[in-house]
Amino acid sequence: LKMPRTQLAICLLLLCVIGCLHVSESFLQASCAGAFARVGISTISRHGRSAMAVRMPMSHLCMLGEATDAPVSTANDEATVEKARSDFLAAALKGPKNGVDASPEQREQIESKLERLIELNTVKEPAYALLRPPYQYFDGTFELLYTNTAGGSSGKVGPFIGDVTQTFLGIRDNDAMGFSRRGVFTNNVQVGPLRVSLQARCESKTEEKLVITFEETSISLFGVPVKKKEFEIGAKGSKGSWSILYMDASLRVLKTNAGNYMVLKRGAPEGGESWMERQNRLGSEPL
């Protein structure tokens, strides 16, 4: 067989390359066999072609994220939170109304379960989430379930203990992204026909902290306004703060700047309709 020298040279070069590739493959299979074996991978030959068989424990596959899209512990985490929530609610409801005049032993029992619930908070940046569309947390009426304050916000008026509620009224001053800068709400104490209300606005300061600015107080008797007083801007006692320690759709735990707990549970909306329900019904943007 005669061929030009150039073609002969090319054929010889191709043969050398094929031989080198075969040697390299054999070398890689031999040198990597020990490393592959440590994770259960072996080299085999099928129909004259090299291949790799994988023998890996299921636990390793799970670690690689191939077993499931969701973490295995998700259900357990939800169950843990729900149990802590139920334990706290049971302890709080067993104690006196609003936690007023609870004994040291009762407070210890209630607050130990409360602190456990706080540890399991799953809402990230709760102060920002409170004022973030679609306002699922800044809506409705919440009823005081427990507090360790001795002040009037506990609902205690003289010898009576009233019903304390917090009702969200709406938002103000949306920024360019549509997030609310301030939310408006009222804290109310109802003792028989007497109702005392404090209207205020809140603004996110940090991930957990809200700055509270008091706007006005009002007193009504049998539903008839008796007195109303506005706070002077910047006056002493016109501001406060809350830290949101735990929050879900129907329960929230606040800590005041005085260091007291305020735990509120969602109740029936005041007037039969929350402000967001009203906005949705009217088909208008939140005001």
PDB file of all heavy atoms in Angstrom, residues 239-255:
ATOM      1  N   LYS A 239     -43.813  59.190  72.776  1.00  0.00           N
ATOM      2  CA  LYS A 239     -43.211  58.110  71.983  1.00  0.00           C
ATOM      3  C   LYS A 239     -42.862  56.914  72.854  1.00  0.00           C
ATOM      4  O   LYS A 239     -42.694  57.026  74.069  1.00  0.00           O
ATOM      5  CB  LYS A 239     -41.954  58.598  71.256  1.00  0.00           C
ATOM      6  CG  LYS A 239     -42.243  59.495  70.071  1.00  0.00           C
ATOM      7  CD  LYS A 239     -41.029  59.622  69.166  1.00  0.00           C
ATOM      8  CE  LYS A 239     -41.368  60.371  67.894  1.00  0.00           C
ATOM      9  NZ  LYS A 239     -40.228  60.405  66.948  1.00  0.00           N
ATOM     10  N   GLY A 240     -42.780  55.785  72.202  1.00  0.00           N
ATOM     11  CA  GLY A 240     -42.368  54.554  72.862  1.00  0.00           C
ATOM     12  C   GLY A 240     -41.807  53.610  71.814  1.00  0.00           C
ATOM     13  O   GLY A 240     -41.547  54.011  70.675  1.00  0.00           O
ATOM     14  N   SER A 241     -41.632  52.358  72.176  1.00  0.00           N
ATOM     15  CA  SER A 241     -41.139  51.378  71.200  1.00  0.00           C
ATOM     16  C   SER A 241     -41.599  49.980  71.593  1.00  0.00           C
ATOM     17  O   SER A 241     -41.862  49.710  72.769  1.00  0.00           O
ATOM     18  CB  SER A 241     -39.609  51.425  71.100  1.00  0.00           C
ATOM     19  OG  SER A 241     -39.006  50.984  72.315  1.00  0.00           O
ATOM     20  N   TRP A 242     -41.702  49.135  70.596  1.00  0.00           N
ATOM     21  CA  TRP A 242     -41.990  47.717  70.775  1.00  0.00           C
ATOM     22  C   TRP A 242     -40.936  46.915  70.038  1.00  0.00           C
ATOM     23  O   TRP A 242     -40.455  47.342  68.984  1.00  0.00           O
ATOM     24  CB  TRP A 242     -43.340  47.326  70.169  1.00  0.00           C
ATOM     25  CG  TRP A 242     -44.559  47.877  70.803  1.00  0.00           C
ATOM     26  CD1 TRP A 242     -44.696  48.341  72.076  1.00  0.00           C
ATOM     27  CD2 TRP A 242     -45.841  48.012  70.181  1.00  0.00           C
ATOM     28  NE1 TRP A 242     -45.986  48.758  72.289  1.00  0.00           N
ATOM     29  CE2 TRP A 242     -46.713  48.569  71.145  1.00  0.00           C
ATOM     30  CE3 TRP A 242     -46.341  47.718  68.922  1.00  0.00           C
ATOM     31  CZ2 TRP A 242     -48.044  48.839  70.881  1.00  0.00           C
ATOM     32  CZ3 TRP A 242     -47.667  47.985  68.647  1.00  0.00           C
ATOM     33  CH2 TRP A 242     -48.508  48.538  69.627  1.00  0.00           C
ATOM     34  N   SER A 243     -40.654  45.759  70.562  1.00  0.00           N
ATOM     35  CA  SER A 243     -39.881  44.765  69.823  1.00  0.00           C
ATOM     36  C   SER A 243     -40.802  43.578  69.572  1.00  0.00           C
ATOM     37  O   SER A 243     -41.451  43.091  70.510  1.00  0.00           O
ATOM     38  CB  SER A 243     -38.652  44.318  70.611  1.00  0.00           C
ATOM     39  OG  SER A 243     -37.716  45.367  70.716  1.00  0.00           O
ATOM     40  N   ILE A 244     -40.908  43.154  68.315  1.00  0.00           N
ATOM     41  CA  ILE A 244     -41.737  41.990  67.983  1.00  0.00           C
ATOM     42  C   ILE A 244     -40.875  40.742  68.140  1.00  0.00           C
ATOM     43  O   ILE A 244     -39.949  40.513  67.358  1.00  0.00           O
ATOM     44  CB  ILE A 244     -42.298  42.081  66.556  1.00  0.00           C
ATOM     45  CG1 ILE A 244     -43.067  43.390  66.374  1.00  0.00           C
ATOM     46  CG2 ILE A 244     -43.201  40.891  66.265  1.00  0.00           C
ATOM     47  CD1 ILE A 244     -43.619  43.590  64.975  1.00  0.00           C
ATOM     48  N   LEU A 245     -41.192  39.945  69.142  1.00  0.00           N
ATOM     49  CA  LEU A 245     -40.381  38.767  69.438  1.00  0.00           C
ATOM     50  C   LEU A 245     -40.916  37.499  68.778  1.00  0.00           C
ATOM     51  O   LEU A 245     -40.163  36.564  68.508  1.00  0.00           O
ATOM     52  CB  LEU A 245     -40.306  38.553  70.954  1.00  0.00           C
ATOM     53  CG  LEU A 245     -39.797  39.746  71.774  1.00  0.00           C
ATOM     54  CD1 LEU A 245     -39.719  39.368  73.241  1.00  0.00           C
ATOM     55  CD2 LEU A 245     -38.444  40.219  71.267  1.00  0.00           C
ATOM     56  N   TYR A 246     -42.215  37.475  68.547  1.00  0.00           N
ATOM     57  CA  TYR A 246     -42.846  36.325  67.878  1.00  0.00           C
ATOM     58  C   TYR A 246     -44.069  36.835  67.133  1.00  0.00           C
ATOM     59  O   TYR A 246     -44.800  37.692  67.630  1.00  0.00           O
ATOM     60  CB  TYR A 246     -43.262  35.250  68.887  1.00  0.00           C
ATOM     61  CG  TYR A 246     -44.006  34.093  68.249  1.00  0.00           C
ATOM     62  CD1 TYR A 246     -43.322  32.994  67.764  1.00  0.00           C
ATOM     63  CD2 TYR A 246     -45.392  34.123  68.101  1.00  0.00           C
ATOM     64  CE1 TYR A 246     -43.994  31.937  67.152  1.00  0.00           C
ATOM     65  CE2 TYR A 246     -46.077  33.084  67.489  1.00  0.00           C
ATOM     66  CZ  TYR A 246     -45.368  31.995  67.018  1.00  0.00           C
ATOM     67  OH  TYR A 246     -46.037  30.963  66.405  1.00  0.00           O
ATOM     68  N   MET A 247     -44.298  36.264  65.936  1.00  0.00           N
ATOM     69  CA  MET A 247     -45.469  36.682  65.170  1.00  0.00           C
ATOM     70  C   MET A 247     -45.875  35.571  64.219  1.00  0.00           C
ATOM     71  O   MET A 247     -45.040  34.968  63.544  1.00  0.00           O
ATOM     72  CB  MET A 247     -45.147  37.960  64.378  1.00  0.00           C
ATOM     73  CG  MET A 247     -46.334  38.552  63.634  1.00  0.00           C
ATOM     74  SD  MET A 247     -46.006  40.248  63.035  1.00  0.00           S
ATOM     75  CE  MET A 247     -44.804  39.921  61.744  1.00  0.00           C
ATOM     76  N   ASP A 248     -47.176  35.283  64.223  1.00  0.00           N
ATOM     77  CA  ASP A 248     -47.748  34.427  63.190  1.00  0.00           C
ATOM     78  C   ASP A 248     -49.092  35.040  62.795  1.00  0.00           C
ATOM     79  O   ASP A 248     -49.388  36.174  63.174  1.00  0.00           O
ATOM     80  CB  ASP A 248     -47.847  32.954  63.627  1.00  0.00           C
ATOM     81  CG  ASP A 248     -48.765  32.746  64.832  1.00  0.00           C
ATOM     82  OD1 ASP A 248     -49.749  33.504  64.990  1.00  0.00           O
ATOM     83  OD2 ASP A 248     -48.517  31.808  65.611  1.00  0.00           O
ATOM     84  N   ALA A 249     -49.884  34.319  62.036  1.00  0.00           N
ATOM     85  CA  ALA A 249     -51.121  34.897  61.510  1.00  0.00           C
ATOM     86  C   ALA A 249     -52.103  35.298  62.599  1.00  0.00           C
ATOM     87  O   ALA A 249     -52.908  36.220  62.414  1.00  0.00           O
ATOM     88  CB  ALA A 249     -51.781  33.917  60.543  1.00  0.00           C
ATOM     89  N   SER A 250     -52.066  34.635  63.754  1.00  0.00           N
ATOM     90  CA  SER A 250     -53.087  34.907  64.770  1.00  0.00           C
ATOM     91  C   SER A 250     -52.540  35.159  66.175  1.00  0.00           C
ATOM     92  O   SER A 250     -53.313  35.288  67.121  1.00  0.00           O
ATOM     93  CB  SER A 250     -54.069  33.726  64.841  1.00  0.00           C
ATOM     94  OG  SER A 250     -53.384  32.527  65.164  1.00  0.00           O
ATOM     95  N   LEU A 251     -51.225  35.258  66.307  1.00  0.00           N
ATOM     96  CA  LEU A 251     -50.636  35.480  67.629  1.00  0.00           C
ATOM     97  C   LEU A 251     -49.377  36.321  67.479  1.00  0.00           C
ATOM     98  O   LEU A 251     -48.637  36.167  66.507  1.00  0.00           O
ATOM     99  CB  LEU A 251     -50.286  34.143  68.291  1.00  0.00           C
ATOM    100  CG  LEU A 251     -49.863  34.192  69.762  1.00  0.00           C
ATOM    101  CD1 LEU A 251     -51.065  34.514  70.651  1.00  0.00           C
ATOM    102  CD2 LEU A 251     -49.253  32.859  70.187  1.00  0.00           C
ATOM    103  N   ARG A 252     -49.150  37.220  68.429  1.00  0.00           N
ATOM    104  CA  ARG A 252     -47.911  37.993  68.411  1.00  0.00           C
ATOM    105  C   ARG A 252     -47.461  38.316  69.819  1.00  0.00           C
ATOM    106  O   ARG A 252     -48.281  38.473  70.734  1.00  0.00           O
ATOM    107  CB  ARG A 252     -48.065  39.272  67.594  1.00  0.00           C
ATOM    108  CG  ARG A 252     -49.156  40.190  68.040  1.00  0.00           C
ATOM    109  CD  ARG A 252     -49.525  41.139  66.914  1.00  0.00           C
ATOM    110  NE  ARG A 252     -49.815  40.411  65.689  1.00  0.00           N
ATOM    111  CZ  ARG A 252     -50.066  40.985  64.514  1.00  0.00           C
ATOM    112  NH1 ARG A 252     -50.069  42.281  64.418  1.00  0.00           N
ATOM    113  NH2 ARG A 252     -50.331  40.276  63.445  1.00  0.00           N
ATOM    114  N   VAL A 253     -46.151  38.386  69.977  1.00  0.00           N
ATOM    115  CA  VAL A 253     -45.548  38.683  71.273  1.00  0.00           C
ATOM    116  C   VAL A 253     -44.723  39.946  71.114  1.00  0.00           C
ATOM    117  O   VAL A 253     -43.801  40.010  70.301  1.00  0.00           O
ATOM    118  CB  VAL A 253     -44.644  37.537  71.753  1.00  0.00           C
ATOM    119  CG1 VAL A 253     -44.036  37.891  73.110  1.00  0.00           C
ATOM    120  CG2 VAL A 253     -45.423  36.230  71.833  1.00  0.00           C
ATOM    121  N   LEU A 254     -45.088  40.980  71.884  1.00  0.00           N
ATOM    122  CA  LEU A 254     -44.384  42.256  71.853  1.00  0.00           C
ATOM    123  C   LEU A 254     -43.665  42.472  73.175  1.00  0.00           C
ATOM    124  O   LEU A 254     -44.095  41.977  74.222  1.00  0.00           O
ATOM    125  CB  LEU A 254     -45.369  43.412  71.633  1.00  0.00           C
ATOM    126  CG  LEU A 254     -46.394  43.266  70.507  1.00  0.00           C
ATOM    127  CD1 LEU A 254     -47.358  44.446  70.530  1.00  0.00           C
ATOM    128  CD2 LEU A 254     -45.700  43.165  69.164  1.00  0.00           C
ATOM    129  N   LYS A 255     -42.572  43.216  73.108  1.00  0.00           N
ATOM    130  CA  LYS A 255     -41.893  43.636  74.335  1.00  0.00           C
ATOM    131  C   LYS A 255     -41.766  45.148  74.290  1.00  0.00           C
ATOM    132  O   LYS A 255     -41.244  45.717  73.324  1.00  0.00           O
ATOM    133  CB  LYS A 255     -40.510  42.984  74.456  1.00  0.00           C
ATOM    134  CG  LYS A 255     -39.953  43.045  75.869  1.00  0.00           C
ATOM    135  CD  LYS A 255     -38.780  42.097  76.035  1.00  0.00           C
ATOM    136  CE  LYS A 255     -38.408  41.960  77.502  1.00  0.00           C
ATOM    137  NZ  LYS A 255     -37.306  40.995  77.695  1.00  0.00           N
TER     138      LYS A 255
END
